[in-house]
Every structure is written in structure tokens, then in C-alpha cells.
Amino acid sequence: MQFFDAVRTCLRNYATFRGRAGRPEFWWFMLFATLASMVAAVFGERINLVVTVLLLLPAIAVTARRLHDIDRSGWWQLVGMVPLVGWIVVLYWYVQPSQPGPNRFG
């Protein structure tokens, strides 16, 4: 999946928490969200806040779908809130290869 395809897919599935998202879709969208936030920050704090709020729900949704792709519930992204080690654990899950074939999430 290419950059623009991934961004288009994630924005089209704005609040879709069902299904699966592969590594390219997840990482391309996260890159887009980071770059959009950096560009918005150049234009001011309020613009950055608006962009961040607009991209928050699609980011949570694509993260849930990414975890579904490795056969984990989307709720596991909350592990990232555990101090010190939580973000390391979820980062490890995000880089895992997709599980071949169908799983309980599709």
C-alpha cells in the first residue's frame, strides 16, 4: 500500500474499528498524522490543536485495526499508557508481521 492510498483508506474509515490494517497502512497514516501536525504547528497552536483533534479518531481506529491484524483486541492499545514500558510493548506489537489467513477479527 502506498502513502496516499493508506491515508485515503484511513480517512475513509474514519471511525471504523472493525477489520484489519496491515503494517504499511498503519505506518503511512502515522507518518501523515505526524507531518500534518508538524505543518499545522508552523501556522499556530490553534491550527495544530484542530488538526490533532481531527486526526485523533482515525489514528485510534487504524491502531485498533492494526492490533486486529495481529489477532489482538483494539483495547490493547491502552497498554501504551502504562508508564515507562507500555509504549515499548505496543511498539513491539505494531511492528509484528500480519498474521496470515483469517483470524477472529476478519
Side-chain angles (χ1 to χ4, degrees), residues 14-79:
Y14 189 80
T16 303
F17 293 89
R18 295 175 193 241
R20 296 166 68 168
R23 280 189 299 188
E25 180 181 344
F26 173 77
W27 286 112
W28 282 126
F29 184 75
M30 288 302 163
L31 176 65
F32 167 74
T34 301
L35 293 174
S37 182
M38 290 170 63
V39 168
V42 170
F43 293 105
E45 190 174 312
R46 288 188 182 186
I47 303 282
N48 187 19
L49 179 64
V50 169
V51 168
T52 301
V53 168
L54 288 175
L55 292 177
L56 181 63
L57 189 57
I60 293 170
V62 74
T63 302
R65 292 193 313 270
R66 175 67 195 125
L67 288 170
H68 290 171
D69 195 41
I70 61 166
D71 203 24
R72 293 204 177 273
S73 170
W75 289 102
W76 280 104
Q77 62 187 300
L78 296 175
V79 170

